[in-house]
Amino acid sequence: MERIILLILKRIFIVPYWYLQIFLCAKSRKMSNEKKYEIIRKIVMGVNQAGNVNITCRGLENLPDQNGYIMFPNHQGLFDVLAVIECNPTPFTVVIKEEAEKNLFLKRIIQALKAQVIRRGDIRQSMKVIMQVTKEVKEGRNYLIFAEGTRSKKGNELLNFKGGSFKSAFNAKCPIVPVSVIDSYKVFDAHSIKKAEMEIHFLKPIEYEEYKDMKTTEIAEIVKNMIQKDILQKDI
């Protein structure tokens, strides 16, 4: 909350303009997804700067040259999506739980990016989301999915990655990009307005040929282990 207040105070005159831009992106049917992402990314970078958050981005060279891939990061909080948007210049959208829509700012971004909102406990709706994501990834859209299902409340310690989160990637036969989110929890959980330092690492992608004979639970464990190893190496 303290950091949000800082952001508003530092950018009090431009915040309404930012919100209007995001609202127009969310409502526009003529604007391309690429243009919407460009506008939103500029706003997100301005928000992060005003909030006194410094993000170190590593591994951009690991992102596939061709669109149609899914990124799987660990999850530490609502700020994770904004951090990945700043780091990744290539448009993507996200599968996010319905609770995120309670945040008005994030709700408009979700609408503008045409994100898929998943309702936990609704199996039929979840299957529709999996099918829709599969279809869009095959058509060349990039996605971000939090395989833990909820945020870890233990800092950089990971929760179990759910095999079901990888069904869209498996069905689309697309590259899987593990993403390390490091120290993102400090942005809001520290209750401070001091500069928050965090990192986003895009790890080496796993191609379909490498995981086609695996179960989704096995894929989930491999991705989790890759991210955990990367985070531990950072702390050494």
Side-chain angles (χ1 to χ4, degrees):
M1 178 61 71
E2 294 88 343
R3 201 170 296 277
I4 294 174
I5 293 173
L6 172 67
L7 158 65
I8 293 173
L9 290 176
K10 289 176 69 174
R11 297 290 187 271
I12 192 167
F13 296 111
I14 198 171
V15 166
Y17 175 67
W18 281 346
Y19 183 80
L20 177 61
Q21 281 192 303
I22 294 173
F23 178 82
L24 292 175
C25 284
K27 294 299 181 181
S28 176
R29 295 183 179 181
K30 296 182 179 180
M31 192 182 302
S32 68
N33 291 333
E34 290 75 17
K35 184 61 178 177
K36 289 181 180 181
Y37 186 81
E38 178 186 342
I39 292 171
I40 290 170
R41 186 166 181 254
K42 286 182 180 179
I43 294 171
V44 165
M45 293 173 75
V47 167
N48 295 347
Q49 182 182 36
N52 209 15
V53 181
N54 184 57
I55 306 170
T56 299
C57 308
R58 304 187 190 280
L60 277 170
E61 70 279 1
N62 288 324
L63 290 173
D65 294 330
Q66 292 187 335
N67 289 325
Y69 59 83
I70 302 180
M71 297 174 285
F72 289 92
N74 55 305
H75 193 18
Q76 296 185 1
L78 292 175
F79 190 77
D80 299 347
V81 175
L82 303 184
V84 178
I85 287 175
E86 174 168 332
C87 288
N88 191 351
T90 305
F92 71 89
T93 189
V94 61
V95 174
I96 200 161
K97 59 186 179 181
E98 61 182 336
E99 288 90 336
E101 290 189 302
K102 295 178 182 178
N103 182 301
L104 191 58
F105 181 73
L106 279 179
K107 181 177 181 178
R108 294 306 182 193
I109 290 180
I110 289 168
Q111 291 174 340
L113 294 179
K114 296 181 180 178
Q116 296 294 323
V117 178
I118 199 161
R119 302 190 193 98
R120 288 188 291 185
D122 189 333
I123 297 176
R124 180 175 295 182
Q125 190 267 350
S126 297
M127 288 302 298
K128 287 182 179 180
V129 169
I130 289 171
M131 292 171 62
Q132 183 62 29
V133 172
T134 300
K135 176 178 179 292
E136 292 184 18
V137 171
K138 283 182 176 180
E139 293 171 350
R141 200 153 197 219
N142 306 318
Y143 262 89
L144 181 146
I145 298 176
F146 293 109
E148 289 164 295
T150 189
R151 79 181 187 98
S152 171
K153 296 182 180 180
K154 298 181 179 180
N156 290 323
E157 184 178 332
L158 274 59
L159 303 176
N160 288 327
F161 278 33
K162 299 179 179 179
S165 302
F166 292 84
K167 287 183 179 180
S168 292
F170 190 88
N171 293 339
K173 302 179 180 180
C174 71
I176 289 172
V177 183
V179 181
S180 301
V181 176
I182 303 172
D183 293 337
S184 173
Y185 69 95
K186 294 180 179 179
V187 175
F188 292 131
D189 291 358
H191 300 292
S192 171
I193 60 173
K194 293 181 180 179
K195 179 173 285 189
E197 299 280 351
M198 64 162 294
E199 298 183 20
I200 296 291
H201 298 177
F202 300 100
L203 307 184
K204 184 179 178 181
I206 307 171
E207 301 293 339
Y208 176 68
E209 291 299 318
E210 299 176 65
Y211 69 78
K212 66 178 182 179
D213 296 321
M214 298 181 187
K215 296 178 181 178
T216 53
T217 51
E218 294 174 321
I219 300 170
E221 192 64 20
I222 288 173
V223 173
K224 177 188 174 183
N225 289 339
M226 287 177 67
I227 294 172
Q228 190 69 79
K229 181 180 178 181
D230 180 67
I231 292 174
L232 290 174
Q233 285 178 338
K234 185 263 180 186
D235 291 335
I236 295 175

